[in-house]
Coordinates of all heavy atoms in Angstrom, one line a residue:
M1 N -12.4 -27.5 -4.2 CA -11.1 -27.4 -3.6 C -10.3 -26.3 -4.3 O -9.6 -25.6 -3.6 CB -10.4 -28.8 -3.8 CG -9.1 -28.9 -3.2 SD -9.1 -28.8 -1.5 CE -7.5 -29.0 -1.0
A2 N -10.3 -26.3 -5.6 CA -9.5 -25.2 -6.3 C -10.0 -23.8 -5.9 O -9.2 -22.9 -5.8 CB -9.6 -25.4 -7.8
N3 N -11.3 -23.7 -5.8 CA -11.9 -22.4 -5.4 C -11.5 -22.0 -4.0 O -11.2 -20.8 -3.8 CB -13.4 -22.4 -5.5 CG -14.0 -21.0 -5.6 OD1 -13.4 -20.1 -6.1 ND2 -15.1 -20.9 -5.0
A4 N -11.4 -22.9 -3.1 CA -10.9 -22.6 -1.8 C -9.5 -22.2 -1.8 O -9.1 -21.2 -1.1 CB -11.1 -23.9 -0.9
L5 N -8.6 -22.8 -2.6 CA -7.3 -22.4 -2.7 C -7.1 -21.0 -3.3 O -6.3 -20.2 -2.8 CB -6.5 -23.4 -3.6 CG -6.1 -24.7 -2.9 CD1 -5.5 -25.7 -3.9 CD2 -5.1 -24.5 -1.8
R6 N -8.0 -20.7 -4.3 CA -8.0 -19.4 -4.9 C -8.3 -18.3 -3.9 O -7.6 -17.3 -3.8 CB -8.9 -19.4 -6.1 CG -8.9 -18.1 -6.8 CD -10.0 -18.1 -8.0 NE -11.3 -18.2 -7.5 CZ -12.1 -17.1 -7.2 NH1 -11.5 -15.9 -7.3 NH2 -13.3 -17.2 -6.8
W7 N -9.3 -18.6 -3.0 CA -9.7 -17.6 -2.0 C -8.6 -17.4 -1.0 O -8.3 -16.3 -0.6 CB -11.0 -18.1 -1.3 CG -12.2 -17.7 -2.1 CD1 -12.9 -18.4 -3.0 CD2 -12.9 -16.4 -2.0 NE1 -14.0 -17.7 -3.5 CE2 -14.0 -16.5 -2.9 CE3 -12.6 -15.2 -1.3 CZ2 -14.8 -15.4 -3.1 CZ3 -13.5 -14.2 -1.5 CH2 -14.6 -14.3 -2.4
V8 N -8.0 -18.5 -0.6 CA -6.9 -18.3 0.4 C -5.7 -17.6 -0.2 O -5.1 -16.7 0.5 CB -6.5 -19.8 0.9 CG1 -5.2 -19.6 1.8 CG2 -7.6 -20.4 1.7
M9 N -5.3 -17.9 -1.4 CA -4.2 -17.2 -2.0 C -4.5 -15.8 -2.2 O -3.7 -14.9 -2.0 CB -3.8 -17.9 -3.3 CG -3.2 -19.3 -3.1 SD -2.5 -20.0 -4.6 CE -4.0 -20.4 -5.5
N10 N -5.7 -15.4 -2.6 CA -6.1 -14.0 -2.8 C -6.1 -13.3 -1.5 O -5.7 -12.1 -1.4 CB -7.5 -13.9 -3.4 CG -7.5 -14.0 -4.9 OD1 -6.4 -13.9 -5.6 ND2 -8.6 -14.3 -5.5
A11 N -6.5 -13.9 -0.4 CA -6.5 -13.3 0.9 C -5.1 -13.0 1.4 O -4.9 -12.1 2.2 CB -7.3 -14.1 1.8
E12 N -4.2 -13.8 1.0 CA -2.8 -13.7 1.6 C -2.0 -12.7 0.8 O -0.9 -12.3 1.3 CB -2.1 -15.0 1.6 CG -2.8 -16.0 2.6 CD -2.8 -15.5 4.0 OE1 -1.8 -15.0 4.4 OE2 -3.8 -15.7 4.7
V13 N -2.4 -12.2 -0.3 CA -1.6 -11.2 -1.1 C -2.0 -9.9 -0.6 O -3.1 -9.5 -0.7 CB -1.9 -11.4 -2.6 CG1 -1.2 -10.3 -3.4 CG2 -1.5 -12.7 -3.1
P14 N -1.0 -9.1 0.0 CA -1.3 -7.8 0.5 C -1.6 -6.8 -0.7 O -0.8 -6.7 -1.6 CB -0.1 -7.4 1.3 CG 1.0 -8.2 0.7 CD 0.4 -9.5 0.2
T15 N -2.7 -6.2 -0.6 CA -3.1 -5.2 -1.7 C -3.6 -4.0 -1.0 O -4.0 -4.0 0.2 CB -4.1 -5.8 -2.6 OG1 -5.3 -6.2 -1.9 CG2 -3.6 -7.0 -3.4
I16 N -3.7 -2.9 -1.8 CA -4.4 -1.7 -1.3 C -5.4 -1.3 -2.4 O -5.4 -1.9 -3.5 CB -3.4 -0.5 -1.1 CG1 -2.5 -0.3 -2.4 CG2 -2.4 -0.8 0.0 CD1 -1.6 0.9 -2.3
A17 N -6.3 -0.5 -2.0 CA -7.4 -0.1 -2.9 C -7.8 1.4 -2.7 O -7.5 2.0 -1.7 CB -8.6 -1.0 -2.7
F18 N -8.4 1.9 -3.8 CA -9.0 3.3 -3.7 C -10.1 3.3 -2.6 O -10.9 2.5 -2.6 CB -9.6 3.7 -5.0 CG -8.6 3.8 -6.1 CD1 -8.4 2.9 -7.1 CD2 -7.8 5.0 -6.2 CE1 -7.5 3.0 -8.1 CE2 -6.8 5.1 -7.2 CZ -6.7 4.2 -8.1
D19 N -10.0 4.3 -1.8 CA -11.0 4.5 -0.7 C -11.7 5.8 -0.9 O -12.9 5.9 -0.7 CB -10.4 4.4 0.6 CG -11.4 4.4 1.8 OD1 -12.5 3.8 1.6 OD2 -11.2 5.1 2.8
L20 N -11.0 6.8 -1.4 CA -11.6 8.1 -1.5 C -11.2 8.6 -3.0 O -10.1 8.6 -3.4 CB -10.9 9.1 -0.5 CG -11.4 10.6 -0.7 CD1 -12.9 10.7 -0.4 CD2 -10.6 11.4 0.3
V21 N -12.2 8.9 -3.7 CA -12.1 9.4 -5.1 C -12.7 10.7 -5.3 O -13.8 10.9 -4.9 CB -12.7 8.3 -6.1 CG1 -12.6 8.8 -7.5 CG2 -12.2 7.0 -5.9
E22 N -11.9 11.7 -5.8 CA -12.5 13.0 -6.1 C -12.4 13.2 -7.6 O -11.3 13.1 -8.2 CB -11.6 14.1 -5.4 CG -11.7 14.1 -3.9 CD -11.0 15.2 -3.3 OE1 -10.6 16.2 -4.0 OE2 -10.7 15.1 -2.1
I23 N -13.6 13.4 -8.2 CA -13.7 13.6 -9.7 C -13.9 15.0 -9.9 O -15.0 15.6 -9.4 CB -14.7 12.6 -10.2 CG1 -14.4 11.2 -10.0 CG2 -14.9 12.9 -11.7 CD1 -15.4 10.2 -10.4
E24 N -13.0 15.7 -10.6 CA -13.2 17.1 -10.9 C -14.2 17.4 -12.0 O -15.1 18.2 -11.9 CB -11.9 17.8 -11.1 CG -11.0 17.8 -9.9 CD -9.7 18.5 -10.1 OE1 -9.5 19.2 -11.2 OE2 -8.8 18.3 -9.3
V25 N -13.9 16.7 -13.2 CA -14.8 16.9 -14.3 C -15.1 15.5 -14.9 O -14.1 14.7 -15.2 CB -14.1 17.8 -15.4 CG1 -15.0 17.9 -16.6 CG2 -13.8 19.1 -14.8
N26 N -16.3 15.2 -15.0 CA -16.7 13.9 -15.6 C -17.4 14.1 -16.9 O -18.6 14.6 -16.9 CB -17.5 13.1 -14.6 CG -17.9 11.7 -15.1 OD1 -17.5 11.4 -16.2 ND2 -18.7 11.0 -14.4
S27 N -16.8 13.9 -18.0 CA -17.4 14.1 -19.3 C -17.9 12.8 -19.9 O -18.3 12.8 -21.1 CB -16.4 14.8 -20.3 OG -15.3 14.0 -20.5
S28 N -17.9 11.7 -19.1 CA -18.3 10.4 -19.7 C -19.8 10.3 -19.4 O -20.4 11.1 -18.8 CB -17.5 9.3 -19.0 OG -18.0 9.2 -17.6
V29 N -20.3 9.2 -19.9 CA -21.7 8.9 -19.7 C -22.0 8.2 -18.4 O -23.1 8.0 -18.0 CB -22.3 8.0 -20.9 CG1 -22.2 8.8 -22.2 CG2 -21.5 6.7 -21.0
L30 N -20.9 7.8 -17.7 CA -21.0 7.1 -16.4 C -21.0 8.1 -15.3 O -20.4 9.1 -15.3 CB -19.7 6.2 -16.3 CG -19.5 5.2 -17.4 CD1 -18.2 4.4 -17.2 CD2 -20.6 4.2 -17.5
R31 N -21.8 7.7 -14.3 CA -22.0 8.6 -13.1 C -20.7 8.5 -12.2 O -20.0 7.5 -12.2 CB -23.1 8.2 -12.3 CG -24.4 8.3 -13.0 CD -25.6 8.0 -12.1 NE -26.8 8.1 -12.9 CZ -28.0 8.0 -12.3 NH1 -28.1 7.7 -11.0 NH2 -29.1 8.2 -13.0
D32 N -20.5 9.6 -11.5 CA -19.3 9.6 -10.6 C -19.3 8.5 -9.6 O -18.2 7.9 -9.4 CB -19.2 11.0 -9.8 CG -19.0 12.2 -10.7 OD1 -18.8 12.0 -11.9 OD2 -19.1 13.3 -10.2
K33 N -20.4 8.2 -9.0 CA -20.4 7.1 -8.0 C -20.1 5.8 -8.7 O -19.4 4.9 -8.1 CB -21.8 7.0 -7.4 CG -22.1 8.2 -6.5 CD -23.5 8.1 -6.0 CE -23.5 7.3 -4.7 NZ -24.9 7.3 -4.1
F34 N -20.5 5.5 -9.9 CA -20.2 4.3 -10.6 C -18.8 4.2 -10.8 O -18.1 3.1 -10.6 CB -21.0 4.2 -11.9 CG -20.8 3.0 -12.7 CD1 -21.4 1.8 -12.4 CD2 -19.8 3.0 -13.7 CE1 -21.2 0.7 -13.2 CE2 -19.6 1.9 -14.5 CZ -20.3 0.7 -14.2
I35 N -18.1 5.2 -11.3 CA -16.7 5.2 -11.6 C -15.9 5.0 -10.3 O -15.0 4.2 -10.2 CB -16.3 6.5 -12.3 CG1 -16.9 6.6 -13.7 CG2 -14.7 6.6 -12.4 CD1 -16.7 7.9 -14.3
A36 N -16.3 5.7 -9.2 CA -15.6 5.5 -7.9 C -15.7 4.1 -7.4 O -14.8 3.5 -6.9 CB -16.2 6.6 -6.9
H37 N -16.9 3.6 -7.5 CA -17.1 2.2 -7.1 C -16.3 1.2 -7.8 O -15.6 0.3 -7.3 CB -18.6 1.8 -7.2 CG -18.9 0.4 -6.8 ND1 -19.1 -0.6 -7.7 CD2 -19.0 -0.2 -5.6 CE1 -19.3 -1.7 -7.1 NE2 -19.2 -1.5 -5.8
R38 N -16.2 1.4 -9.1 CA -15.4 0.5 -10.0 C -13.9 0.6 -9.7 O -13.2 -0.4 -9.7 CB -15.7 0.7 -11.5 CG -17.1 0.4 -11.9 CD -17.5 -1.0 -11.6 NE -16.8 -2.0 -12.4 CZ -17.4 -2.9 -13.1 NH1 -18.7 -3.0 -13.2 NH2 -16.7 -3.7 -13.8
L39 N -13.5 1.8 -9.4 CA -12.1 2.0 -9.1 C -11.7 1.3 -7.7 O -10.7 0.7 -7.6 CB -11.7 3.5 -8.9 CG -11.6 4.3 -10.2 CD1 -11.5 5.8 -10.0 CD2 -10.5 3.8 -11.1
G40 N -12.7 1.3 -6.8 CA -12.5 0.6 -5.5 C -12.4 -0.9 -5.6 O -11.9 -1.5 -4.7
L41 N -12.9 -1.4 -6.7 CA -12.8 -2.9 -6.9 C -11.4 -3.4 -7.4 O -11.2 -4.6 -7.5 CB -13.9 -3.3 -7.8 CG -15.3 -3.2 -7.3 CD1 -16.3 -3.5 -8.4 CD2 -15.5 -4.0 -6.0
I42 N -10.6 -2.4 -7.8 CA -9.3 -2.8 -8.4 C -8.3 -3.0 -7.3 O -8.0 -2.1 -6.6 CB -8.8 -1.7 -9.4 CG1 -9.8 -1.5 -10.5 CG2 -7.4 -2.1 -10.0 CD1 -9.5 -0.2 -11.4
P43 N -7.8 -4.2 -7.1 CA -6.7 -4.4 -6.1 C -5.4 -3.9 -6.7 O -5.0 -4.3 -7.8 CB -6.7 -5.9 -5.9 CG -7.3 -6.5 -7.2 CD -8.2 -5.5 -7.8
L44 N -4.7 -3.1 -5.9 CA -3.4 -2.6 -6.3 C -2.3 -3.2 -5.5 O -2.4 -3.2 -4.2 CB -3.4 -1.1 -6.1 CG -4.5 -0.3 -6.8 CD1 -4.6 1.2 -6.3 CD2 -4.4 -0.3 -8.3
M45 N -1.3 -3.7 -6.1 CA -0.2 -4.3 -5.4 C 0.8 -3.2 -5.1 O 1.1 -2.4 -6.0 CB 0.4 -5.5 -6.3 CG -0.5 -6.7 -6.4 SD 0.3 -8.0 -7.2 CE 1.6 -8.5 -6.0
S46 N 1.4 -3.3 -3.9 CA 2.3 -2.3 -3.5 C 3.3 -2.9 -2.6 O 3.0 -3.8 -1.8 CB 1.7 -1.1 -2.9 OG 2.6 -0.3 -2.3
E47 N 4.6 -2.5 -2.7 CA 5.6 -3.0 -1.8 C 5.3 -2.5 -0.4 O 5.7 -3.2 0.6 CB 7.0 -2.6 -2.3 CG 7.3 -3.0 -3.7 CD 8.6 -3.7 -3.8 OE1 9.4 -3.6 -2.9 OE2 8.8 -4.3 -4.9
R48 N 4.7 -1.4 -0.2 CA 4.4 -0.8 1.1 C 3.2 -1.5 1.7 O 2.9 -1.3 2.9 CB 4.1 0.7 0.9 CG 5.3 1.4 0.6 CD 5.0 2.9 0.5 NE 4.4 3.3 1.8 CZ 3.7 4.4 1.9 NH1 3.5 5.2 0.9 NH2 3.1 4.7 3.1
A49 N 2.4 -2.3 1.0 CA 1.2 -2.8 1.5 C 1.4 -3.7 2.8 O 0.5 -3.7 3.7 CB 0.4 -3.7 0.5
M50 N 2.5 -4.5 2.8 CA 2.7 -5.3 4.0 C 3.0 -4.5 5.3 O 2.6 -5.0 6.3 CB 4.0 -6.2 3.7 CG 3.7 -7.4 2.9 SD 2.5 -8.5 3.7 CE 3.5 -9.3 4.9
G51 N 3.5 -3.3 5.1 CA 3.8 -2.5 6.3 C 2.7 -1.6 6.7 O 2.8 -0.8 7.7
M52 N 1.6 -1.5 5.9 CA 0.5 -0.6 6.2 C -0.4 -1.2 7.2 O -0.5 -2.4 7.5 CB -0.2 -0.2 4.9 CG 0.7 0.5 3.9 SD -0.2 1.0 2.5 CE -1.2 2.3 3.1
R53 N -1.2 -0.3 7.8 CA -2.2 -0.6 8.8 C -3.6 -0.4 8.2 O -3.8 0.5 7.4 CB -2.1 0.2 10.1 CG -0.7 0.2 10.7 CD -0.6 1.2 11.8 NE 0.7 1.3 12.3 CZ 1.1 2.4 13.0 NH1 0.3 3.3 13.3 NH2 2.4 2.4 13.4
F54 N -4.6 -1.1 8.8 CA -6.0 -0.7 8.5 C -6.2 0.7 9.1 O -5.8 0.9 10.2 CB -7.0 -1.7 9.0 CG -7.0 -3.0 8.2 CD1 -6.4 -4.1 8.7 CD2 -7.5 -3.0 6.9 CE1 -6.4 -5.3 7.9 CE2 -7.5 -4.1 6.1 CZ -7.0 -5.3 6.7
S55 N -7.0 1.5 8.4 CA -7.2 2.9 9.0 C -7.9 2.8 10.3 O -7.7 3.6 11.2 CB -7.9 3.8 8.0 OG -9.2 3.2 7.7
H56 N -8.8 1.9 10.5 CA -9.6 1.8 11.8 C -8.7 1.2 12.9 O -9.1 1.4 14.1 CB -10.8 0.9 11.6 CG -10.6 -0.5 11.1 ND1 -10.1 -1.5 11.9 CD2 -10.8 -1.0 9.9 CE1 -10.0 -2.6 11.1 NE2 -10.4 -2.3 9.9
D57 N -7.5 0.7 12.6 CA -6.6 0.2 13.6 C -5.4 1.1 13.8 O -4.5 0.8 14.5 CB -6.0 -1.2 13.3 CG -7.1 -2.2 13.3 OD1 -8.1 -2.0 14.0 OD2 -7.0 -3.3 12.6
C58 N -5.4 2.3 13.1 CA -4.2 3.1 13.0 C -4.2 4.0 14.3 O -5.1 4.8 14.5 CB -4.2 3.9 11.8 SG -2.7 4.9 11.6
D59 N -3.1 3.9 15.0 CA -3.0 4.8 16.2 C -2.4 6.2 15.8 O -2.6 7.1 16.6 CB -2.0 4.2 17.2 CG -2.6 2.8 17.8 OD1 -3.8 2.7 17.8 OD2 -1.8 2.0 18.1
A60 N -1.7 6.3 14.8 CA -1.0 7.5 14.4 C -2.0 8.6 14.0 O -1.7 9.8 14.2 CB 0.0 7.3 13.2
C61 N -3.1 8.2 13.4 CA -4.1 9.3 13.0 C -5.5 9.1 13.6 O -6.4 9.7 13.2 CB -4.2 9.3 11.5 SG -4.9 7.8 10.8
D62 N -5.5 8.2 14.6 CA -6.8 7.9 15.3 C -7.9 7.5 14.4 O -9.1 7.9 14.5 CB -7.3 9.1 16.1 CG -6.3 9.4 17.3 OD1 -5.7 8.4 17.8 OD2 -6.2 10.6 17.7
G63 N -7.6 6.7 13.3 CA -8.6 6.2 12.4 C -9.1 7.1 11.3 O -10.0 6.8 10.6
D64 N -8.5 8.3 11.2 CA -8.8 9.2 10.1 C -8.5 8.6 8.7 O -9.1 9.0 7.7 CB -8.2 10.5 10.3 CG -8.8 11.3 11.4 OD1 -9.9 11.0 11.8 OD2 -8.2 12.3 11.8
G65 N -7.5 7.8 8.6 CA -7.0 7.3 7.4 C -6.3 8.3 6.5 O -6.2 8.2 5.3
Q66 N -5.6 9.2 7.2 CA -4.9 10.3 6.5 C -3.5 10.4 6.8 O -2.8 11.4 6.6 CB -5.6 11.7 6.8 CG -7.0 11.8 6.6 CD -7.3 11.8 5.0 OE1 -6.5 12.3 4.3 NE2 -8.4 11.2 4.7
C67 N -2.9 9.3 7.3 CA -1.4 9.4 7.7 C -0.6 8.4 6.8 O -1.2 7.6 6.0 CB -1.2 9.1 9.2 SG -1.4 7.4 9.6
E68 N 0.7 8.5 6.9 CA 1.5 7.7 6.0 C 1.5 6.2 6.4 O 1.9 5.4 5.5 CB 3.0 8.2 6.2 CG 3.5 8.0 7.6 CD 4.9 8.6 7.8 OE1 5.8 7.9 7.4 OE2 5.0 9.7 8.3
Y69 N 1.0 5.8 7.5 CA 0.9 4.4 7.9 C -0.3 3.7 7.4 O -0.3 2.5 7.2 CB 1.0 4.3 9.4 CG 2.2 4.8 10.0 CD1 2.1 6.0 10.8 CD2 3.4 4.3 9.8 CE1 3.3 6.6 11.3 CE2 4.6 4.8 10.3 CZ 4.5 5.9 11.1 OH 5.6 6.5 11.6
C70 N -1.4 4.4 7.0 CA -2.6 3.8 6.6 C -3.1 4.3 5.3 O -4.2 3.9 4.9 CB -3.7 3.9 7.7 SG -4.2 5.5 8.1
S71 N -2.4 5.2 4.6 CA -2.9 5.7 3.3 C -1.7 6.0 2.4 O -0.6 6.2 2.9 CB -3.8 7.0 3.5 OG -3.0 8.0 4.0
V72 N -2.0 6.2 1.2 CA -1.0 6.5 0.1 C -1.6 7.7 -0.6 O -2.8 7.7 -1.0 CB -0.8 5.3 -0.8 CG1 0.2 5.7 -1.9 CG2 -0.3 4.1 -0.1
D73 N -0.8 8.7 -0.9 CA -1.2 9.9 -1.6 C -1.2 9.6 -3.1 O -0.3 9.0 -3.6 CB -0.4 11.1 -1.3 CG -0.7 11.6 0.1 OD1 -1.8 11.4 0.6 OD2 0.2 12.2 0.7
Ligands
LIG101 ZN1 -3.4 6.5 10.0

């Protein structure tokens, strides 16, 4: 029961996440893909998240994910 509540509460909190990562210089022992994947797992809270659209549903950029309604710079 508690786990179900946790899933529902997590699903209702609007968050954004990294979708595109560009690494210029990686001097660590970790591969670029590993770092990009781990960054994508971090949920970021934003006041703008409630007003944003999914990029695949965005009419303003035809799903490119490059406009102000579905992405953050
Ligand atoms: Zn868009």
Side-chain angles (χ1 to χ4, degrees):
M1 180 68 176
N3 196 35
L5 283 173
R6 183 180 68 85
W7 275 95
V8 169
M9 288 188 290
N10 276 343
E12 295 299 321
V13 175
T15 57
I16 55 178
F18 292 102
D19 187 39
L20 176 66
V21 178
E22 292 182 20
I23 298 175
E24 292 184 13
V25 177
N26 181 4
S27 61
S28 72
V29 296
L30 304 173
R31 295 182 181 187
D32 292 353
K33 289 177 87 174
F34 178 82
I35 294 171
H37 178 256
R38 297 304 291 236
L39 286 172
L41 295 175
I42 300 170
L44 304 170
M45 293 185 65
S46 170
E47 305 226 347
R48 290 186 52 200
M50 278 299 283
M52 294 183 74
R53 307 171 187 162
F54 287 107
S55 60
H56 56 79
D57 293 336
C58 185
D59 297 332
C61 66
D62 293 329
D64 286 344
Q66 303 290 325
C67 74
E68 62 185 278
Y69 300 109
C70 64
S71 68
V72 177
D73 291 331

